């Protein structure tokens, strides 16, 4: 059903679809109050009357104005609050004129409704076809300060999500500065939640961390110029008594890739204000007369089936309304990436042998990673010079691409467009294109500086360089990397055109999106994989353009159990680029079985990243069989429902179980992983599959007897037999880091 908007009494706005309701209303001061977001309710003026009646809290409250001493904003649930106007909590928006703060007062003017949200490459945003979406725009104005505010809400027919964003316009005759313009969030009447965040570091991205809310502020942020390895913009508020599978949970994310802040502030009455948006520190946007500023979109999701249910809501929303439609259901190529196979140490002959070995095992696309351009033999030179390294490619990059295509493989290349090496031709010509104040000390990371993507000439230059290579190679795939964060943020371009440096970080990310848009407009079929020193920019802004992102530079199967668990809480499996790599693992030196590396990687978009020319035939045969199996299972990864059955965070810390059910419910891929062998491992021997059809019967790969759905649901799936002395003869798991993949097929 198309989402509907009911406007009750000209003051209550009820946006709903089959599953959820979102209700906002006019407060007595004509600002926008928040009433409800959760399972669909039927709302009439009468039923809502009691809930919109205002009771003033006693004890030291400040009231909004002398006209109404019964009313304060201090305890109101609001849609887009302002600090310091009888509310002492953090606000969503703030502005100054000169050095004077403006106490903004946006009052209701009217509303509009539309039913289309087209996809537009210019900036990342959710989209929906005509009739699939309802967009409510509430118009507010602050006449005293010459500003209007449009509050936008989008609801889709197939999702519990509500998307929020704002447009602020200067309709006065003097410039002002926006010092805070968050994308909103959700005011909640209680504080009975845990703040669930995905945090870590390089090679340890998106581990699940959770803490209870308490009076005060719980917050995460990035001020690194990227969404970051350290904190991800996805946050959940989980009911304090909820579990992985049960209880209410709200999800929040931003369709954005730069600095952000997400916070939950609990006030003295245990009300919670969750907000997410552009990080207000380092942000100052000059709003000249007649110009507007539009905030990135915040995606708010709801589930009453715990964090696992919320993850499915998030995944479906991202697949249907964020990722490019051409990639949604299309099988992604299984790539062989040269990085961990050869690093910088290669020539044409070595690469062609590698690619040919890949072709033999069933690889679709050969990706030539770092080291093919400029004079790059290590990470100390040539970023910015995207011309072939002639010493390594005597027949040019076009000649090499032709050889790859002749093998029957697609061809992919690594670029790091946003970076520049101190040793490069580009820096010699354009020293002012480096992010930093001129002539000052500047920090260096991975031997490189950041290019000023706030400067359109820089973006145009990179597009021109890249398109030459794409044209010459008939490229099918790009790995877009980004390997350092921004320090000494300063744009010489913005200084030259007289814009505030407070605009830099946002304009930088807009420049990144502009290059994406130019590339995808010129080359709509090229698959651009996102990457940022592993998973340092795994966010919805990048996913809007890149349907998949390299999850982490740590490809060890055990490490990946944690990283992929966290990532799957907020993002679809198809977005996760997972490679099977060699052992001992390059990051942790751990040796895991090839089968386990594959069983973990298949819960995502599969690739390989090891020197196949050095592997024995038995390994090559096993890899060929894995790729054949993956191609059969890939539709489940692209369109199925992912189920967390056990995680290291909530289980007994030694086993993990994941499942994907096909969209048509015909098949289930069930992955079971055990870290360390244990002498009485059979103590935990079965696991319930709550999502199966209890009327059906399921055959299970490798097991003789089919099992009824009711048994799987209530008694549970018998887990793989483990080695524990007497079980030796039947053991399916023997030793450390073992795993088992079971395919359950519904038999009617
Ligand atoms: C980053 C990426 C790796 C690889 C290297 C190349 O670390 O995450 O996958 O591309 O850069 O320098």
């Amino acid at each position: 059903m198309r989402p509907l908007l009911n406007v009750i009494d000209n003051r209550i706005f009820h946006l709903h679809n089959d599953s959820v309701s979102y209700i906002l209303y006019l407060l007595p001061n004509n600002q926008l109050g928040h009433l409800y977001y959760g399972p669909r309710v039927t709302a009439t003026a009468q039923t809502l009357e009691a809930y919109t009646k205002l009771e003033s809290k006693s004890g030291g409250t400040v009231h909004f104005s002398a006209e109404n001493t019964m009313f304060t904003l201090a305890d109101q649930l609001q849609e887009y609050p302002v600090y310091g106007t009888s509310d002492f909590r953090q606000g969503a928006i703030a502005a100054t004129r000169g050095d004077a703060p403006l106490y903004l007062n946006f009052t209701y003017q009217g509303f509009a409704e539309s039913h289309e949200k087209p996809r537009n490459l210019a900036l990342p945003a959710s989209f929906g076809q005509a009739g699939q979406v309802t967009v409510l725009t509430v118009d507010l104005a602050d006449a005293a300060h010459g500003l209007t505010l449009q509050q936008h809400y989008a609801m889709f027919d197939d999702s519990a999500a509500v998307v929020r964003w704002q447009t602020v316009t200067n309709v006065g005759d003097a410039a002002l500065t926006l010092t805070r313009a968050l994308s909103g969030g959700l005011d909640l009447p209680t504080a009975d939640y845990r703040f669930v965040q995905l945090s870590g570091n390089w090679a340890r991205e998106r581990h699940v961390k959770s803490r209870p809310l308490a009076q005060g502020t719980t917050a995460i942020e990035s001020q690194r110029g990227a969404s970051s390895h350290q904190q991800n913009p996805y946050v959940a508020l989980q009911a304090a008594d909820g579990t992985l599978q049960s209880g209410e949970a709200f999800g929040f994310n931003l369709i954005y890739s730069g600095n952000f802040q997400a916070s939950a502030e609990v006030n003295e009455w245990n009300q919670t204000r969750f907000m997410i948006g552009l990080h207000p520190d380092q942000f100052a946007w000059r709003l000249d007369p007649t110009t507007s500023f539009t905030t990135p979109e915040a995606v708010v999701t709801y589930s009453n089936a715990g964090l696992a249910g919320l993850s499915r809501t998030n995944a479906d929303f991202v697949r249907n309304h964020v990722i490019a439609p051409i990639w949604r259901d299309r099988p992604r190529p299984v790539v062989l990436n040269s990085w961990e196979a050869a690093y910088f140490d290669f020539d044409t002959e070595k690469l062609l042998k590698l690619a040919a070995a890949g072709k033999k095992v069933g690889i679709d696309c050969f990706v030539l990673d770092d080291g093919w351009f400029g004079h790059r033999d290590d990470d100390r030179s040539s970023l910015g010079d995207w011309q072939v390294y002639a010493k390594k490619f005597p027949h040019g990059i076009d000649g090499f691409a032709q050889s790859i295509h002749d093998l029957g493989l697609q061809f992919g290349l690594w670029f790091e467009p946003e970076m520049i090496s101190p040793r490069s031709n580009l820096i010699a010509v354009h020293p002012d294109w480096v992010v930093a104040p001129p002539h000052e000390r500047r920090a260096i990371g991975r031997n490189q500086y950041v290019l000023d993507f706030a400067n359109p000439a820089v973006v145009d230059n990179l597009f021109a360089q890249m398109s030459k290579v794409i044209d010459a190679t008939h490229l099918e795939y790009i790995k877009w990397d980004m390997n350092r964060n921004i320090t000494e943020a300063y744009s010489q371009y913005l200084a030259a055109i007289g814009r505030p440096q407070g605009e830099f970080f946002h304009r930088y990310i807009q420049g990144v999106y502009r290059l994406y848009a130019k590339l995808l407009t010129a080359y709509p079929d090229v698959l651009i994989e996102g990457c940022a020193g592993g998973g340092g920019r795994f966010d919805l802004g990048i996913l809007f353009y890149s349907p998949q992102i390299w999850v982490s530079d740590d490809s060890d199967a055990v490490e990946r159990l944690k990283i992929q668990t966290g990532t799957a809480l907020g993002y679809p499996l198809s977005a996760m680029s997972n490679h099977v790599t060699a052992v001992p693992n390059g990051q942790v030196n751990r040796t895991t079985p090839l089968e386990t590396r594959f069983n973990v990687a298949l819960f995502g978009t599969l690739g390989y990243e090891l020197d196949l020319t050095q592997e024995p035939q038995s390994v090559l045969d096993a890899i060929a069989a894995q790729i054949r199996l993956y191609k059969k299972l890939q539709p489940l990864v692209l369109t199925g429902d992912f189920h967390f059955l056990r995680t290291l965070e909530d289980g007994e810390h030694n086993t993990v179980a994941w499942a994907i059910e096909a969209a048509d419910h015909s098949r289930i891929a069930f992955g079971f992983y055990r870290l360390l062998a244990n002498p009485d491992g059979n103590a935990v021997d079965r696991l319930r599959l709550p999502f199966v059809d209890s009327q059906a019967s399921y055959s299970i790969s490798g097991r003789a007897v089919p099992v009824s759905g009711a048994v799987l649901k209530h008694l549970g799936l018998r887990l793989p037999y483990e080695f524990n002395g007497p079980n030796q003869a039947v053991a399916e798991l023997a030793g450390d880091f073992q795993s088992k993949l079971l395919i359950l097929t519904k038999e009617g």
Side-chain angles (χ1 to χ4, degrees), residues 652 654-655 674-684 722-725 733-736:
E652 86 296 0
N654 197 37
T655 59
R674 188 190 58 188
L675 303 194
L676 298 181
N678 112 38
D680 51 6
N682 273 356
V684 179
E722 299 176 39
F723 176 87
N724 67 346
L733 304 180
D736 295 339

Side-chain angles (χ1 to χ4, degrees), residues 339 344 369-370 376 414 446 479 481 483 531-534 550 553 609:
W339 182 242
F344 291 108
D369 208 278
D370 197 353
R376 188 139 161 119
W414 181 94
R446 209 198 187 203
K479 178 173 169 187
D481 207 344
N483 275 303
C531 177
W550 179 229
D553 277 348
E609 193 168 328

